[in-house]
Amino acid sequence: MKPTDIEIPEHLRPADARFGAGPSKVRPEAMAALFERARDYMGTSHRQAPVRSVVARLRGGLAQLFSLPDGYEVLLGNGGTTVLWDAIAFGLIERWSQHYVFGEFSGRFAAAVANADHLSEPEIVSSEPGTHPVQVPSERADLYALTHNETSTGVAMPVRRVTRRGLVAVDATSAAAGLQVDPAEFDFYYFAPQKGLASDGGLWLALASPAAIERIESLAASDRYIPASIDLKIALDNSRRDQTYNTPALATILLAAEQVDWINANGGLEWAAARCEESSSTLYDWAEARPLANPFVERIEQRSPVVVTIDFDASIDSSHITSALRANGIVDTEPYRKLGRNQIRVAVYPAVDPDDVAALTGCLDFVLERLT
Ligand SMILES: *Cc1c(COP(=O)(O)O)cnc(C)c1O
């Protein structure tokens, strides 16, 4: 049977069938809240109170969500995580960084640093896709680059300091709001809002410790050239006034604030992490119980609770599964393209309803029966 001819009965389908890793599901309630502000927020100045109050709401909401200790600050700026990597290379790394590379995103940041002439060659500690490296103290690193969740492979790595020396900067683009984290273990926990925060792209957000703020200030005062658009000191000064250096996407900010408030109102990070745990367990258990499927990540403690990767036996082509799902309106279960495996990837961020994940497993069974 042609995959796209498979018709999944309506009653089996998830109510909301968006399972993409990013951009990810935006809750319709947040879209409705945005529409409510169609006249007094959208299309108004980001230097005035209506917008600045929403930025303040987002910054305060994040401080609450992550139980930030005194002295930690929430920074934001334009360009998403990829641009923030360049900002970190200019404004947070003194000279030597150490990177844990275990997939596409952690690798891209390391490559960005390796290409920066003003920095020394970074130390790279890598491991095979589907695993994470073991942390090792460095002789000289002034910044450790961790990735809380490697979105390309579905591996989660704990956030902890291995030494007192050096800042700990964590790419939490897909982890933020879905995984528990202790602020004492990081100095710079950063993300973009189109994943766990169920908003749209184009913005970066960072939770900065006093040590990170001190580093930003000292590098800004040094004679290093830093382009203004990625200058973290300029971002810090603007963030403190609930603004950004240049014009942000206002919808992105409001949708992110809506999501953070929604999570805080439901029980905060603990609640959100438990919800992701429930959703991901449904999928891992499903894969373990099916002869043709297996979780890609072998070690249970390394399996991501927000991005689930499932391998399929060679007798079945995973692209037939994803195209059958897509033909039925169930979207973005395709694997990370460069990983090149016969697998599906399902994101189960806090916005995704665990019931929809359970429905997805029913749909997978339905499709598999017809493809084999
Ligand atoms: C998506 C993602 C990025 C890239 O984010 P952009 O906002 O698109 O630049 C970086 N790191 C991780 C872990 C991601 O999941």
Side-chain angles (χ1 to χ4, degrees):
M1 188 167 197
K2 225 174 111 202
T4 49
D5 287 343
I6 297 173
E7 204 172 314
I8 303 173
E10 190 60 43
H11 73 274
L12 286 181
R13 296 187 203 174
D16 198 307
R18 291 172 287 174
F19 297 103
S24 66
K25 173 184 171 185
V26 177
R27 288 180 312 111
E29 296 82 359
M31 288 302 296
L34 177 63
F35 192 71
E36 280 288 303
R37 304 295 309 271
R39 287 171 193 276
D40 68 346
Y41 172 83
M42 288 306 293
T44 72
S45 169
H46 62 300
R47 306 286 177 215
Q48 300 299 327
V51 172
R52 287 170 69 178
S53 67
V54 177
V55 174
R57 217 179 108 199
L58 174 58
R59 293 179 67 231
L62 287 170
Q64 183 190 336
L65 180 63
F66 290 96
S67 310
L68 292 187
D70 280 349
Y72 279 61
E73 297 188 51
V74 179
L75 276 57
L76 73 166
N78 283 317
T81 298
T82 305
V83 168
L84 184 58
W85 285 331
D86 291 328
I88 293 171
F90 277 93
L92 201 61
I93 300 172
E94 221 161 77
R95 185 153 173 212
W96 278 295
S97 54
Q98 191 209 56
H99 298 252
Y100 298 104
V101 173
F102 54 115
E104 177 67 19
F105 294 107
S106 45
R108 273 194 214 170
F109 181 27
V113 169
N115 288 328
D117 285 338
H118 63 280
L119 301 175
S120 295
E121 195 61 30
E123 252 173 63
I124 313 268
V125 183
S126 57
S127 72
E128 286 304 304
T131 67
H132 70 64
V134 178
Q135 279 177 264
V136 282
S138 157
E139 290 283 298
R140 55 187 186 183
D142 59 72
L143 181 140
Y144 290 87
L146 276 66
T147 303
H148 201 177
N149 188 75
E150 183 40 89
T151 322
S152 63
T153 59
V155 172
M157 179 170 174
V159 171
R160 55 182 190 89
R161 296 181 191 276
V162 279
T163 114
R164 285 279 126 198
R165 270 184 311 109
L167 299 178
V168 173
V170 186
D171 180 351
T173 305
S174 57
L179 274 75
Q180 299 256 33
V181 69
D182 176 2
E185 301 292 328
F186 66 71
D187 295 294
F188 205 71
Y189 191 80
Y190 61 91
F191 42 93
Q194 73 276 20
K195 299 183 183 182
L197 293 196
S199 175
D200 214 347
L203 195 75
W204 59 258
L205 293 147
L207 319 176
S209 75
I213 291 163
E214 203 181 299
R215 176 76 62 82
I216 289 168
E217 285 174 335
S218 82
L219 285 175
S222 74
D223 54 13
R224 177 183 293 175
Y225 164 68
I226 303 178
S229 62
I230 54 168
D231 187 326
L232 290 176
K233 176 68 167 74
I234 292 177
L236 173 68
D237 293 343
N238 277 280
S239 301
R240 283 174 171 165
R241 296 193 301 266
D242 297 317
Q243 296 188 47
T244 49
Y245 178 54
N246 65 319
T247 315
L250 303 189
T252 298
I253 291 171
L254 189 105
L255 292 171
E258 283 295 318
Q259 182 69 359
V260 170
D261 285 357
W262 178 73
I263 294 175
N264 281 334
N266 276 295
L269 194 53
E270 199 180 318
W271 171 82
R275 187 170 155 98
C276 296
E277 194 68 47
E278 180 189 346
S279 291
S280 58
S281 296
T282 299
L283 284 163
Y284 290 125
D285 291 350
W286 176 87
E288 299 270 20
R290 297 296 175 285
L292 294 179
N294 245 322
F296 168 49
V297 180
E298 274 169 28
R299 294 180 61 166
I300 292 172
E301 73 280 9
Q302 298 191 356
R303 286 179 190 164
S304 168
V306 284
V307 176
V308 176
T309 45
I310 297 173
D311 274 351
F312 284 88
D313 184 80
S315 65
I316 182 153
D317 183 341
S318 69
S319 74
H320 293 171
I321 302 172
T322 54
S323 54
L325 292 174
R326 190 170 281 283
N328 285 273
I330 302 166
V331 301
D332 300 340
T333 59
E334 288 81 7
Y336 189 75
R337 63 207 141 80
K338 286 198 208 152
L339 191 59
R341 292 187 70 91
N342 190 38
Q343 76 175 203
I344 63 168
R345 180 177 64 156
V346 182
V348 291
Y349 298 130
V352 174
D353 191 327
D355 288 342
D356 285 341
V357 178
L360 174 64
T361 60
C363 295
L364 283 167
D365 281 331
F366 186 90
V367 167
L368 280 178
E369 253 171 54
R370 275 143 195 91
L371 287 176
T372 51

